[in-house]
Amino acid sequence: MATTSARRKLTGSQQQGPAGPTTQSGQTPLREVQGGHPERPLHVLEMDIKSKWITRDRRNGYILTILDTFTRQVLHWQAGLCMTQHQITSHGTR
């Protein structure tokens, strides 16, 4: 299975508390990402596209997942036999 991940930092700066990185609201994020910890929900989004060989159809299927890195909540997912740039950008910019 092939995996491609892209991380995009939107805005903000990091604060360092005595027990490690914290956000402006005092919450500790669930995951550290490249470049530090996200400060708040929707601060850093993660888009992941996975491909999986479907033996019956003799072709690849694709799964797109968009995650909020702070809360680790799935914001959107989509599966299909093709994945176009339009499908990815239309869901990533909402």
Side-chain angles (χ1 to χ4, degrees):
M1 177 180 350
T3 303
T4 304
S5 294
R7 291 185 180 97
R8 176 173 48 137
K9 186 167 181 162
L10 301 177
T11 58
S13 59
Q14 302 299 319
Q15 297 178 356
Q16 186 74 18
T22 59
T23 63
Q24 292 175 348
S25 62
Q27 297 173 313
T28 302
L30 298 177
R31 181 176 176 197
E32 183 175 349
V33 296
Q34 182 179 4
H37 290 278
E39 292 182 5
R40 60 190 176 282
L42 302 176
H43 182 232
V44 178
L45 300 179
E46 183 175 300
M47 298 177 79
D48 186 54
I49 301 173
K50 292 186 175 15
S51 65
K52 179 73 174 160
W53 180 255
I54 303 171
T55 306
R56 183 188 68 187
D57 295 334
R58 296 179 44 96
R59 63 188 293 185
N60 281 321
Y62 300 93
I63 302 168
L64 166 68
T65 309
I66 301 175
L67 299 168
D68 175 15
T69 308
F70 184 84
T71 63
R72 301 302 299 158
Q73 257 189 325
V74 174
L75 302 175
H76 175 79
W77 71 270
Q78 180 176 351
L81 295 175
C82 66
M83 194 64 57
T84 65
Q85 179 181 355
H86 174 72
Q87 289 171 299
I88 296 167
T89 56
S90 67
H91 295 292
T93 57
R94 288 185 192 175

